Amino acid sequence: MALAVVIFLLVIGSIIFHFASPWWFTEIAADWGSIDFTINLTFWVTGFVFVACNLFLAYCIWKFRQKEGHKAVYEPENHKLEIGLSAITTVGVIAMLAPGLFVWASFVNVPDDAVQIEVLGSQWQWQYRYPGADGQLGTADVLLVTEDNPFGVNPEDPRGQDDVVVNDPELHLPLGQPVQTLLRSHDVLHNFTVPQFRVKMDLVPGLVSYLWFDPTREGRFDVMCEELCGIGHFVMRGAVVVEPQADFDAWIAQQTTFSETQNMAAPNVAAGQAAYAACATCHGQQGEGNQALNAPKLAGQQPWYIERQIQHFKDGARGGDGDTYGAQMAAFANMLADETAVRNVAAYINTFPDTPAQPTVTGDVDNGYDIYDRNCAACHLDNGQGTWYNDSPKLAGMSDWYFVTQISNFRAGIRGLHPTDDYGEQMVSMATAMSDLEEIQDVAAYINTLQR
Amino acid sequence: MSLFKSLAVKPWERKGIIGGLRPEGAFDTSPEKVGLSYFLVIASVVFSLFMVSYVIRMELPDWQPLSEPGQLWANTLLLILSSVLFQWTRNIVSSDKPRNLMTAFFGAGLFAILFIAGQLMTWGNLQEGGFYLTSNPANAFYYLLTGLHAVHLLGGLWVWSKGAIRLLSGAEAKDLRLSVELCTLYWHFLLVVWLILFAFLANT
Amino acid sequence: MAYVPLADQDKEMEMHHPHSWVEKYVWSQDHKVIAIQYGSIAVFTGIIGLTLSVLFRLQLGFPESVDFIDPNFYYQAVTMHGMIMVVYFLTALFLGGFGNYMIPLMCGARDMVFPFMNMLSVWTFLLSVIILMASFFVGGGPTGAGWTLYPPQTAMEGTPGHDMGIVLMLISLAVFIVATTMGGLNYAVTVLQYRCRGLTMMRLPLTVWGIFVATILALFAFPALLVAAIMMLFDTLLGTSFFMPAVIEAGAPLDHNGGSPLLFQHLFWFFGHPEVYIVALPAFGLVSDVLSTHARKNIFGYRMMVWAIIAIGGLSFIVWAHHMYVSGMHPYFGFFFATTTLIIAVPTALKVYNWVLTLWEGDIRLNAPMYFAIGFIFTFIHGGLTGLFLGNVVIDLPLSDTYFVIAHFHMVMGVSPILVLFAAIYHWYPLMSGRMFHEGLAKAHFWLTFLGAYAIYLPMHYLGFLGVPRRYYQIGATDFIPASAQDLNASITIAAIFVAVAQLLFFVNIIWSLKYGKKAEKNPWGSASLEWQTPDLPPKHGNWGDELPTVYRWAYDYSVPGAHEDFIPQNTPETVEPTVDEEHFDPDQDASKADI
């Protein structure tokens, strides 16, 4: 009896929950209204069946519960009824499946006017490649990947020379232009998802998969990875900016082509040395760092990382509220005029001899190992050297007190939350692997052991 | 009664004992043989799935076909002999006057052992020729499939060795009958698997 | 050798009667003891799986305040939870536990055909569990690659447990497959060859049908997992490239080339989808018998139910790639697999209709087993219907890899089979222990479990509609997930903790009742099927005393017009109880015939 009432109430409750719920699909931003139509159709058909079946179930329980003097009816089967019910079910299934297959056909067949853009996934970043003026993407191979050629574009292929390579997780798309994204992965499975576009597809190393959509709404949307790709899966985020054609044209004109990245002039170390004079006051003549002045060691750090951080200080992505020393640094960073100047300084720093910094932090090395090995080593590697591939800086032999400050900053939201600091945002999430200052010090103490 | 017919009966209408002593639908053979058949189906599925994987993997660009060593022909002959001898053993144990049982039974096992030795030799030759497991997926499949087949045969030899011990300690032909029948079925199965594998490996 | 019918060789049948405690309870060859051993090991692993789920639910519900779960452990916990629940808990409990207990009793046999192999099976299963649990203690910990173990990430630096954890997982699975094969061989051959006199296949209870067909599925499905595991072990340990393509790890290429990750996915799901039905079909069977017994009515449309079990089993082998719509396989496959997937909805729906129609015009006894069985119908309708979303290929585009998927499969193959498990354990508890369980505790257990589970999974579907991705340690900041989603997550976690704790009621009940429960009378539910007709309760070793039973009728003779009681046991000769030919008989309308 109670069961019949509860099942009745659950049905009513589910209906109320649905109508009261603010949780539903996010507003669509691509021309895939047909997918939403299929979902709604299925929702209402199945919703009706859910309500009907369960109300009937509740009725049966209530009506035919055991009572004095009541007996069950003997009826082994009723073939006609069963066949009739199966037929109705079949009709319902066809009603849901048929539109689904039609929409799938339009998803499978890419329209001729769609432009091709490559989406490249690697642990744990998004990068993009546009076909350039010739409208064709050059061939690429995972075995050609190097720090200077992160896409593995075939340098022999003339079609690839004018490809626009975007080594940044932000994708720009012109409004109303159908796009076919060609999906490639350099390591594990990933999945390119923009919830507003409704479609998603895996990136599989060794082959090129695709999906297509027609962006219909301006805005900035999240790109998510939705296929488990290792420990950094949940921080593998990107963004897609849908903007009017004119804005898009202006944006893409600023990007570099593949041949430009290959033929970039070598950095001017002498110019870098001159510029470094301002830095030497705090960071030391040989980039050895100075804890008293809150200047971390620079020698031995990877040039791409130094470049990126100086850029962040210049952009205001670092050194904002709560980061006093970062604000000092931002002032100095702004003395470097442009990207070339930044590159020059980084190149000069790269010439310094790398002697490990003196350990200043103590902690439980075993616990530090445990945390580091489980969570940090995936990017910063077992030896703490870091790698351009994972966008991870070197940790071993660098200033341990600086490590403690920065992890604390990540945890406090002082560093990494600026919209342009995509890689810092990953650290904000990963830094939760260390729950308090003590654990941060443990990890720092463990990293100190990596130099010996 | 055919399968479809028996699935269509209305069981509530049929009362009383049906099917005599033997449960309706049971196979007219010993449970051991049904059990072995069940296992053979699993083994067939395993080998088939490996071959399906082989075909799918073959279509990828890095595949370099392996030229199978000619010695496999000799090995095949050994396995055929082993199977034939098992059939002979089987005929002997079912006959009224068992004769030459020892020769047939031990001959069958011996040729199976020789087959495995032969397979190992081909492995050795391939290794010497620089065809390592990791050099190419074709090699990897070759080692994997022949290895798996040999492991199955070793399992059979284990059962055979138990029979051999019983035979040496004076068991009579009729005591060995079931065990020989099962072995014979298993050997024929492994021969067929090998012939298919061999044809498959040789033609790709 | 000519086949000697079981009934004739019975007298000389050699029973391995145990002589000592160890032989009776440890190295036992009695199918009932083995069933309990299988069940206990499975429940033990299930408790570990449940604990892991509570831990990672804490992280998801309260990411700010739960400090002790790092990303590494989170991924290990979700992976191990999934694998444990699907394989080591549900499969082992349904086939090893209920298959072992029910098949010989329902078939009127003294034991399984190969009792020694049966014993070997349970110990091999224990070995596989030990290997699995060992992975918690090796360097790097258990694998965190997700329960689907997709290469290439399983073996790569960025994945937790990529060194020893994954190797132990694969070895444990291989050992488990050996154990299941030995068990399955026994179940299938026993059903085929060891049925007692008069017991035709169409007289078998649906429990046996469900387990039998599930065993046949296992026969074809588990080899696929074995093949995949062997090749992945080769890739991981020996450096071959079956599944491993050329990939970059931490900036340098690995020593693999050309392998196909999709090949692994095909093999995995060729196992994985039938695996869903290896769990579901026994559940369908068990719940049918519980419903029929307590509704005092035969299972409605028995023949269609058998056909549906067979049809679902057959179809389950041609739907596997619906797990791979967005895997990057050729998109044309989507048309085929969406169609086959939605076809499977028809026989499944028919089963639901027939369960409800069994209740229709019945005389429903609303006790604890029946509560769980009816609860199952509700959750299964819910889970089955959401399957129509994911099976329809375009709807899978936005919903796959979101919480909608999690909610769907937990509803359909987590909550539903577990409700059946409880229904079945309570229903057959008097048979297994000779005691009655505590009805009040059992009902309290039902309410907390059933309502709690719905409170977990109904809102979870809506997280999926929002697009919240699965397997995220933290959702973090996004532009499409409102902050209120976190409240939903927190409430789900609280409900999950409630449900987990509520299971204590179950354990208290079955352990307490073992000693203090009311002594069960013979056939306490008035059941018609054979397992309740043993001379002893609980049945002794050998089950049937001196003589094997003879079966005269099907297992569902309930409320037959003209009978003395509202059930007729299967082994009652037709001469003792009259037969009827009515297609539909309503005792209320035709009172003259109701009691003869």
Side-chain angles (χ1 to χ4, degrees):
Chain A
M1 186 67 176
L3 192 56
V5 176
V6 168
I7 287 183
F8 177 76
L9 289 177
L10 279 181
V11 173
I12 303 299
S14 304
I15 297 172
I16 294 174
F17 182 88
H18 173 72
F19 283 107
S21 145
W23 304 296
W24 195 246
F25 285 92
T26 176
E27 193 193 340
I28 196 165
D31 191 16
W32 280 123
S34 50
I35 293 182
D36 281 6
F37 167 78
T38 322
I39 294 172
N40 285 325
L41 176 74
T42 306
F43 186 87
W44 292 112
V45 172
T46 55
F48 171 77
V49 176
F50 172 75
V51 171
C53 280
N54 282 311
L55 288 183
F56 183 68
L57 173 67
Y59 173 75
C60 285
I61 302 166
W62 172 75
K63 171 87 182 176
F64 302 108
R65 67 189 189 278
Q66 202 159 52
K67 282 176 293 206
E68 200 63 35
H70 173 78
K71 273 194 165 177
V73 167
Y74 179 77
E75 186 175 28
E77 70 176 14
N78 184 339
H79 232 60
K80 272 189 194 146
L81 177 64
E82 289 170 279
I83 288 172
L85 285 171
S86 304
I88 294 172
T89 311
T90 311
V91 172
V93 163
I94 291 171
M96 288 183 283
L97 178 64
L101 293 184
F102 272 105
V103 181
W104 182 249
S106 58
F107 175 74
V108 170
N109 298 306
V110 183
D112 293 335
D113 61 340
V115 295
Q116 291 191 332
I117 293 174
E118 178 177 272
V119 173
L120 176 68
S122 60
Q123 283 178 329
W124 286 272
Q125 281 309 333
W126 297 104
Q127 288 156 305
Y128 311 98
R129 183 157 67 110
Y130 295 77
D134 65 353
Q136 282 180 308
L137 287 164
T139 52
D141 189 334
V142 62
L143 294 175
L144 297 171
V145 172
T146 61
E147 187 176 350
D148 296 326
N149 184 5
F151 286 77
V153 176
N154 179 2
E156 310 291 318
D157 187 347
R159 288 171 304 175
Q161 300 304 321
D162 64 345
D163 287 1
V164 175
V165 289
V166 180
N167 200 348
D168 184 279
E170 194 173 78
L171 170 70
H172 285 247
L173 293 175
L175 182 68
Q177 165 65 54
V179 177
Q180 180 187 24
T181 58
L182 301 177
L183 308 169
R184 276 200 312 131
S185 166
H186 277 165
D187 35 47
V188 301
L189 302 174
H190 300 284
N191 182 305
F192 178 73
T193 304
V194 180
Q196 285 85 349
F197 294 164
R198 295 296 187 266
V199 288
K200 60 163 69 93
M201 190 55 70
D202 277 5
L203 287 63
V204 185
L207 59 87
V208 181
S209 49
Y210 72 88
L211 54 78
W212 79 272
F213 52 85
D214 179 1
T216 53
R217 183 157 66 88
E218 278 180 50
R220 188 174 196 274
F221 313 113
D222 289 314
V223 173
M224 315 285 282
C225 176
E226 298 207 355
E227 181 68 65
L228 181 55
C229 56
I231 195 167
H233 173 51
F234 67 105
V235 295
M236 184 165 167
R237 309 285 175 93
V240 49
V241 175
V242 179
E243 58 202 359
Q245 186 74 43
D247 295 359
F248 173 77
D249 292 340
W251 173 82
I252 202 157
Q254 294 174 353
Q255 308 302 313
T256 46
T257 64
F258 174 67
S259 61
E260 282 166 10
T261 63
Q262 298 305 293
N263 302 319
M264 207 179 277
N268 185 342
V269 176
Q273 181 172 14
Y276 186 77
C279 317
T281 334
C282 297
H283 288 284
Q285 289 300 331
Q286 298 288 303
E288 61 271 23
N290 186 340
Q291 189 182 2
L293 297 171
N294 290 296
K297 178 187 164 212
L298 301 176
Q301 189 53 278
Q302 299 164 13
W304 61 265
Y305 182 73
I306 297 210
E307 285 172 35
R308 183 181 291 164
Q309 296 311 314
I310 295 177
Q311 207 64 49
H312 281 331
F313 282 116
K314 279 165 66 75
D315 299 346
R318 287 187 66 180
D321 284 346
D323 189 2
T324 328
Y325 308 120
Q328 293 173 3
M329 179 63 209
F332 281 93
N334 278 322
M335 290 165 62
L336 295 167
D338 55 11
E339 269 180 52
T340 318
V342 175
R343 278 183 74 215
N344 292 343
V345 171
Y348 177 62
I349 294 172
N350 201 30
T351 62
F352 294 153
D354 180 14
T355 36
Q358 275 305 313
T360 62
V361 179
T362 51
D364 179 350
V365 173
D366 289 340
N367 187 40
Y369 165 75
D370 206 41
I371 296 170
Y372 185 90
D373 183 55
R374 292 162 59 84
N375 300 289
C376 317
C379 286
H380 295 276
L381 309 191
D382 288 333
N383 55 15
Q385 295 299 320
T387 159
W388 61 273
Y389 184 78
N390 293 342
D391 295 294
S392 55
K394 176 176 153 91
L395 302 175
M398 306 307 287
S399 306
D400 53 1
W401 57 267
Y402 182 71
F403 171 86
V404 174
T405 329
Q406 293 309 307
I407 297 293
S408 306
N409 283 352
F410 280 123
R411 281 189 55 86
I414 293 169
R415 181 177 169 188
L417 288 184
H418 192 275
T420 59
D421 191 2
D422 298 295
Y423 309 97
E425 193 185 344
Q426 298 190 319
M427 252 336 271
V428 173
S429 293
M430 288 306 297
T432 55
M434 289 155 277
S435 55
D436 52 21
L437 183 64
E438 205 175 320
E439 288 203 336
I440 298 172
Q441 287 169 339
D442 294 346
V443 173
Y446 170 69
I447 294 170
N448 281 337
T449 67
L450 290 174
Q451 276 298 314
R452 293 182 199 114
Chain B
M1 215 189 296
S2 80
L3 180 68
F4 286 107
K5 259 191 180 164
S6 54
L7 283 174
V9 297
K10 296 182 173 175
W12 53 92
E13 286 178 352
R14 302 170 83 207
K15 313 277 175 188
I17 303 179
I18 301 172
L21 289 174
R22 189 156 61 85
E24 195 183 55
F27 293 103
D28 186 14
T29 181
S30 71
E32 283 81 3
K33 273 193 198 155
V34 182
L36 180 63
S37 316
Y38 184 98
F39 177 76
L40 294 187
V41 174
I42 294 189
S44 320
V45 177
V46 169
F47 279 107
S48 324
L49 286 169
F50 270 120
M51 286 192 221
V52 169
S53 309
Y54 186 97
V55 172
I56 294 176
R57 186 67 184 80
M58 203 168 78
E59 282 162 8
L60 294 170
D62 64 327
W63 185 274
Q64 289 161 9
L66 181 72
S67 62
E68 277 67 32
Q71 199 199 335
L72 288 185
W73 289 100
N75 292 355
T76 308
L77 189 66
L78 289 172
L79 194 61
I80 293 175
L81 281 174
S82 176
S83 213
V84 166
L85 282 173
F86 256 116
Q87 185 62 38
W88 187 31
T89 319
R90 191 196 137 112
N91 293 345
I92 294 171
V93 290
S94 337
S95 69
D96 298 333
K97 290 177 198 151
R99 234 177 281 160
N100 300 328
L101 177 57
M102 286 284 197
T103 322
F105 186 79
F106 283 98
L110 181 70
F111 278 112
I113 293 170
L114 284 176
F115 170 80
I116 292 179
Q119 293 289 74
L120 281 176
M121 270 173 66
T122 58
W123 278 21
N125 293 341
L126 280 174
Q127 296 271 331
E128 276 173 29
F131 296 98
Y132 300 111
L133 180 73
T134 52
S135 328
N136 192 271
N139 307 6
F141 267 112
Y142 176 84
Y143 286 110
L144 183 58
L145 288 170
T146 52
L148 194 73
H149 182 261
V151 166
H152 276 80
L153 200 55
L154 283 175
L157 279 173
W158 180 63
V159 177
W160 170 84
S161 68
K162 292 208 311 194
I165 292 169
R166 278 163 67 197
L167 196 58
L168 288 176
S169 49
E172 294 205 21
K174 67 174 169 52
D175 303 332
L176 280 177
R177 193 164 142 179
L178 180 63
S179 155
V180 166
E181 279 180 5
L182 295 176
C183 277
T184 310
L185 178 58
Y186 190 58
W187 248 258
H188 291 346
F189 168 77
L190 285 183
L191 176 63
V192 172
V193 168
W194 170 250
L195 291 177
I196 295 172
L197 273 184
F198 184 33
F200 191 73
L201 292 169
N203 284 313
T204 50
Chain C
M1 188 166 88
Y3 172 66
V4 182
L6 177 67
D8 276 8
Q9 67 178 11
D10 184 44
K11 295 249 161 50
E12 48 197 291
M13 185 171 166
E14 214 180 307
M15 295 299 300
H16 300 271
H17 279 297
H19 301 291
S20 64
W21 186 88
V22 173
E23 270 183 55
K24 199 167 172 189
Y25 295 109
V26 183
W27 306 117
S28 173
Q29 301 189 18
D30 181 353
H31 71 100
K32 299 184 290 296
V33 178
I34 290 175
I36 303 294
Q37 290 171 334
Y38 241 116
S40 312
I41 301 169
V43 168
F44 165 74
T45 56
I47 292 172
I48 292 177
L50 183 71
T51 314
L52 289 171
S53 73
V54 169
L55 289 176
F56 69 68
R57 256 333 303 180
L58 279 174
Q59 164 64 31
L60 291 170
F62 307 100
E64 303 299 325
S65 32
V66 177
D67 280 340
F68 55 92
I69 295 167
D70 59 15
N72 188 302
F73 178 75
Y74 172 80
Y75 286 114
Q76 291 173 332
V78 291
T79 302
M80 295 303 275
H81 166 78
M83 195 58 102
I84 284 176
M85 289 307 198
V86 172
V87 175
Y88 298 86
F89 175 59
L90 286 173
T91 308
L93 194 46
F94 275 117
L95 293 185
F98 280 97
N100 256 315
Y101 205 94
M102 293 302 160
I103 287 176
L105 282 168
M106 288 182 165
C107 290
R110 295 211 180 276
D111 207 316
M112 288 289 179
V113 181
F114 310 114
F116 180 75
M117 192 187 281
N118 209 18
M119 179 188 80
L120 225 50
S121 168
V122 74
W123 293 107
T124 317
F125 170 55
L126 179 64
L127 177 67
S128 77
V129 170
I130 291 173
I131 296 174
L132 182 78
M133 295 304 160
S135 70
F136 280 99
F137 302 99
V138 294
T143 177
W147 85 279
T148 47
L149 305 180
Y150 282 174
Q153 69 137 329
T154 36
M156 285 176 65
E157 183 72 44
T159 303
H162 60 88
D163 31 28
M164 275 310 282
I166 180 64
V167 171
L168 286 177
M169 169 64 85
L170 293 170
I171 293 175
S172 168
L173 283 173
V175 174
F176 179 85
I177 292 166
V178 173
T180 330
T181 305
M182 290 195 285
L185 196 149
N186 251 320
Y187 315 146
V189 182
T190 306
V191 172
L192 285 172
Q193 304 294 96
Y194 261 34
R195 277 168 288 129
C196 68
R197 189 175 296 190
L199 187 54
T200 64
M201 288 298 274
M202 290 302 274
R203 280 178 173 176
L204 287 170
L206 287 174
T207 294
V208 179
W209 269 108
I211 296 172
F212 177 66
V213 175
T215 310
I216 304 294
L217 296 193
L219 173 81
F220 291 96
F222 275 110
L225 181 62
L226 183 70
V227 165
I230 290 176
M231 290 204 274
M232 193 187 262
L233 273 176
F234 268 61
D235 277 3
T236 314
L237 296 177
L238 303 174
T240 54
S241 300
F242 292 119
F243 302 134
M244 293 294 280
V247 290
I248 297 183
E249 182 181 86
L254 285 184
D255 209 8
H256 292 284
N257 197 6
S260 167
L262 285 181
L263 174 59
F264 177 87
Q265 296 185 24
H266 280 295
L267 286 170
F268 183 86
W269 288 115
F270 187 77
F271 147 76
H273 197 81
E275 165 64 25
V276 172
Y277 290 101
I278 290 171
V279 170
L281 292 181
F284 291 172
L286 290 161
V287 81
S288 304
D289 287 350
V290 174
L291 284 168
S292 163
T293 308
H294 296 291
R296 310 313 292 155
K297 234 184 120 203
N298 60 276
I299 190 77
F300 186 84
Y302 174 85
R303 297 189 300 162
M304 283 282 217
M305 292 299 253
V306 172
W307 302 342
I309 286 179
I310 296 172
I312 292 170
L315 284 169
S316 73
F317 281 102
I318 51 166
V319 298
W320 78 88
H322 69 212
H323 298 270
M324 298 169 61
Y325 287 147
V326 297
S327 69
M329 69 172 178
H330 197 293
Y332 281 175
F333 285 133
F335 294 108
F336 174 77
F337 285 101
T339 309
T340 53
T341 303
L342 265 66
I343 288 174
I344 220 171
V346 178
T348 315
L350 182 73
K351 290 197 79 79
V352 174
Y353 300 145
N354 280 357
W355 287 322
V356 183
L357 287 170
T358 302
L359 302 177
W360 174 252
E361 296 185 324
D363 185 24
I364 305 166
R365 206 190 264 154
L366 285 169
N367 53 13
M370 198 59 164
Y371 270 38
F372 279 99
I374 292 171
F376 159 82
I377 300 181
F378 180 85
T379 57
F380 189 73
I381 290 175
H382 201 286
L385 290 172
T386 51
L388 292 169
F389 286 74
L390 297 170
N392 202 345
V393 53
V394 285
I395 308 182
D396 190 59
L397 282 174
L399 290 180
S400 74
D401 291 306
T402 68
Y403 272 89
F404 190 87
V405 178
I406 310 269
H408 158 70
F409 74 70
H410 276 83
M411 209 67 179
V412 81
M413 81 170 293
V415 176
S416 299
I418 287 172
L419 289 177
V420 173
L421 278 175
F422 288 131
I425 291 173
Y426 286 123
H427 179 81
W428 279 286
Y429 186 79
L431 179 70
M432 295 176 182
S433 69
R435 304 257 178 187
M436 300 303 286
F437 53 88
H438 189 285
E439 179 76 13
L441 267 184
K443 278 194 175 148
H445 174 221
F446 168 77
W447 288 120
L448 289 173
T449 308
F450 176 65
L451 295 176
Y454 201 57
I456 297 172
Y457 294 109
L458 178 71
M460 202 183 273
H461 289 91
Y462 286 80
L463 284 179
F465 286 138
L466 274 177
V468 179
R470 67 190 286 203
R471 291 169 168 168
Y472 266 36
Y473 168 73
Q474 267 175 0
I475 299 174
T478 65
D479 59 26
F480 62 97
I481 303 172
S484 58
Q486 194 50 47
D487 304 337
L488 214 51
N489 251 328
S491 76
I492 290 172
T493 298
I494 292 167
I497 294 170
F498 262 102
V499 172
V501 173
Q503 303 317 308
L504 284 177
L505 291 178
F506 168 73
F507 291 107
V508 166
N509 197 350
I510 56 167
I511 292 167
W512 180 86
S513 304
L514 215 50
K515 188 126 191 240
Y516 303 103
K518 194 163 66 93
K519 264 219 177 324
E521 52 196 289
K522 213 185 145 201
N523 197 357
W525 309 125
S527 176
S529 53
L530 205 51
E531 80 275 16
W532 293 97
Q533 319 306 334
T534 55
D536 309 284
L537 186 84
K540 292 212 167 81
H541 191 194
N543 296 344
W544 302 104
D546 291 335
E547 211 169 319
L548 282 176
T550 306
V551 163
Y552 300 90
R553 53 187 74 242
W554 70 331
Y556 297 100
D557 261 348
Y558 292 104
S559 302
V560 182
H564 294 92
E565 285 181 280
D566 65 354
F567 71 102
I568 311 174
Q570 273 189 288
N571 55 353
T572 310
E574 74 279 22
T575 45
V576 176
E577 286 281 10
T579 52
V580 260
D581 292 325
E582 255 106 335
E583 286 289 304
H584 180 105
F585 177 80
D586 188 342
D588 294 338
Q589 284 172 13
D590 201 347
S592 58
K593 279 199 236 163
D595 291 294
I596 300 177

